[in-house]
Amino acid sequence: MLLLTSFLLNVKEDRASPTRLVCDNRLIQKYTVEAKDMEKRVGQCQALPPLSCPAVLPLVDFTFQQWKSKSNETKRREILCDLALLVGAATAAQGQVSNECGARQLNQLYRQANAFFLLLQTFSWEVRPPHMSQTTLAQEGHWEPSCSPHSMEQTHVTSIFLTYRQLVQGKLSFFFYDLAKVLCKQGQGDSRDPPCGAR
């Protein structure tokens, strides 16, 4: 339940295991909707000045053919790299944004991005189901994957939310769809619909 508590900090009514997140596509759809809502709400905040120190954000776009050619472990580490940059960007922006509306949305984005970050560290892509190991959990915000993701600098707070929404709607959704083929042997996993655009 420790993993569940960490992942669903802001959605207390849910009681989902990591496997359920993969096998029940309604959950990833829920987080996609929430990412869109956060992006919309921060765009409605008043007087959000440019960041004095630019946020370093991952480039999360990809082509479907390139994605299909990668192993699940490669995809996992790539997403971890993207999430690490997003968590860092949200943390840095929180120290620069005094606007209550913007700060509230940044806090929510940080919590969700960091929860996905911790969750992906707990998965095992072996034959056995994913499991949680306390030794695999790094201290929050202090674990760095061994990668050098493509990145860009942005001074607009809204760019952080745009990037997060694109990551959840794109790589994460496709990633969980790919995992469902392996991990969800029975029931809902067999009939899971692919993300929009998947062929």
Side-chain angles (χ1 to χ4, degrees), residues 35 39 42 57 60 86 109 152 157-169:
E39 183 184 11
V42 79
L57 299 173
V60 298
L86 272 168
L109 184 148
M152 60 181 173
V157 174
T158 52
S159 298
I160 303 174
F161 292 82
L162 170 63
T163 302
Y164 177 70
R165 190 262 298 167
Q166 290 175 331
L167 178 62
V168 175
Q169 192 173 18

Side-chain angles (χ1 to χ4, degrees), residues 7 21 25-39 58-62 67 78-80 82-83 86-87 108-117 119-120 159-177 192 194-196:
F7 184 63
L21 178 61
N25 66 347
R26 292 172 299 180
L27 284 176
I28 190 63
Q29 290 172 358
K30 173 184 177 67
Y31 294 116
T32 299
V33 170
E34 289 185 352
K36 292 179 180 178
D37 287 344
M38 282 191 293
E39 183 184 11
L59 297 173
V60 298
D61 57 319
F62 66 99
W67 188 254
E78 184 175 317
I79 295 173
L80 278 171
D82 294 338
L83 287 168
L86 272 168
V87 168
Q108 183 177 356
L109 184 148
Y110 169 84
R111 289 165 58 192
Q112 291 197 6
N114 192 63
F116 272 122
F117 182 82
L119 181 74
L120 262 63
S159 298
I160 303 174
F161 292 82
L162 170 63
T163 302
Y164 177 70
R165 190 262 298 167
Q166 290 175 331
L167 178 62
V168 175
Q169 192 173 18
K171 289 182 181 179
L172 270 170
S173 294
F174 277 91
F175 181 53
F176 289 143
Y177 173 71
R192 176 174 174 146
C196 294

Side-chain angles (χ1 to χ4, degrees), residues 113-172:
N114 192 63
F116 272 122
F117 182 82
L118 294 175
L119 181 74
L120 262 63
Q121 290 184 65
T122 69
F123 277 155
S124 170
W125 312 131
E126 306 300 329
V127 176
R128 60 185 181 278
H131 65 283
M132 181 182 70
S133 170
Q134 293 288 354
T135 59
T136 63
L137 286 177
Q139 282 191 323
E140 184 172 314
H142 291 282
W143 182 87
E144 289 293 336
S146 56
C147 59
S148 300
H150 297 292
S151 62
M152 60 181 173
E153 291 187 348
Q154 293 286 349
T155 58
H156 299 291
V157 174
T158 52
S159 298
I160 303 174
F161 292 82
L162 170 63
T163 302
Y164 177 70
R165 190 262 298 167
Q166 290 175 331
L167 178 62
V168 175
Q169 192 173 18
K171 289 182 181 179
L172 270 170

Side-chain angles (χ1 to χ4, degrees), residues 12 14 17 51 58 64 66 74 90 94 105 136 139-140 143 147 180 192:
K12 295 181 180 179
D14 283 348
S17 67
L51 297 172
F64 189 58
Q66 289 176 332
T74 298
Q94 283 177 314
Q105 299 308 317
T136 63
Q139 282 191 323
E140 184 172 314
W143 182 87
C147 59
R192 176 174 174 146

